[in-house]
Amino acid sequence: MAGTVVVHAESPLVALVKGSYGVVIDGVRVGRVRQGAVARFPVPAGTHAVGLTVWDGTRSNAVTVEVGEDREFLVAGRGTGLGYAFLLPVLARTVLPWYCTVAMLLLMCALFWAVPGLLFRVRAVGDSYLPAVQGDEPAGPAEGEGVEGEGAGNGLWWESDPALAKRLRKSAGS
């Protein structure tokens, strides 16, 4: 049987133009999703690795999701804001020679390309608990009940790492 991976590309806080991400499931590019939109991708039931890419080859971290039969699993992608770091060499150009600025830009490009998840991250939100057939009752927790240890959260950057959430005294479910 099949399930569905639902990818939500969250809107950036500040953007002149909304871009789009390529969706990669189990190492295969299966489609695209625009920022601020939701896309659904049918997959066989089981465990899958989900990630995002952009046109220049940078990629997000990969999350492993368990998709149930006739179920939807929600995955959210969001930019980290580190893309604004590219303004630093441009601003430094006023005091540094041009070749230092070019070297800094090339180094930053190589770093962002080589390390997945620096420019944008993916987090597994969880099973959507939607009934497969009209009239079925949801199989998940009731509204208002959280699942301990899962980071649904409100999309803050520390939500993707439970250790950071604990260190910053923020509960992953708040």
Side-chain angles (χ1 to χ4, degrees):
M1 295 310 269
T4 305
V5 172
V6 179
V7 179
H8 176 228
E10 297 176 0
S11 293
L13 294 176
V14 178
L16 299 174
V17 177
K18 289 185 179 181
S20 63
Y21 296 125
V23 179
V24 177
I25 299 177
D26 295 330
V28 178
R29 190 168 173 167
V30 295
R32 299 192 68 72
V33 59
R34 288 194 51 82
Q35 287 181 320
V38 174
R40 289 177 163 74
F41 301 98
V43 294
T47 304
H48 300 282
V50 179
L52 299 176
T53 63
V54 291
W55 62 271
D56 63 355
T58 55
R59 58 202 184 281
S60 71
N61 58 316
V63 294
T64 303
V65 299
E66 181 70 35
V67 180
E69 245 178 66
D70 296 326
R71 304 289 288 209
E72 292 184 339
F73 196 97
L74 180 61
V75 175
R78 169 178 235 180
T80 61
L82 286 177
Y84 292 110
F86 285 105
L87 293 175
L88 293 176
V90 174
L91 295 174
R93 173 64 183 103
T94 60
V95 293
L96 295 176
W98 67 270
Y99 52 85
C100 290
T101 303
V102 170
M104 284 175 39
L105 281 171
L106 290 175
L107 181 64
M108 289 174 61
C109 288
L111 179 69
F112 286 134
W113 181 82
V115 181
L118 280 182
L119 286 179
F120 51 98
R121 296 194 53 82
V122 176
R123 63 185 167 87
V125 175
D127 198 347
S128 63
Y129 300 114
L130 296 176
V133 180
Q134 288 290 354
D136 287 350
E137 294 198 15
E143 188 173 326
E145 293 180 11
V147 178
E148 188 66 34
E150 291 187 5
N154 58 2
L156 299 173
W157 62 272
W158 59 73
E159 302 266 335
S160 61
D161 188 356
L164 285 176
K166 185 176 180 181
R167 182 184 305 159
L168 296 172
R169 294 187 184 107
K170 304 289 183 186
S171 69
S174 64

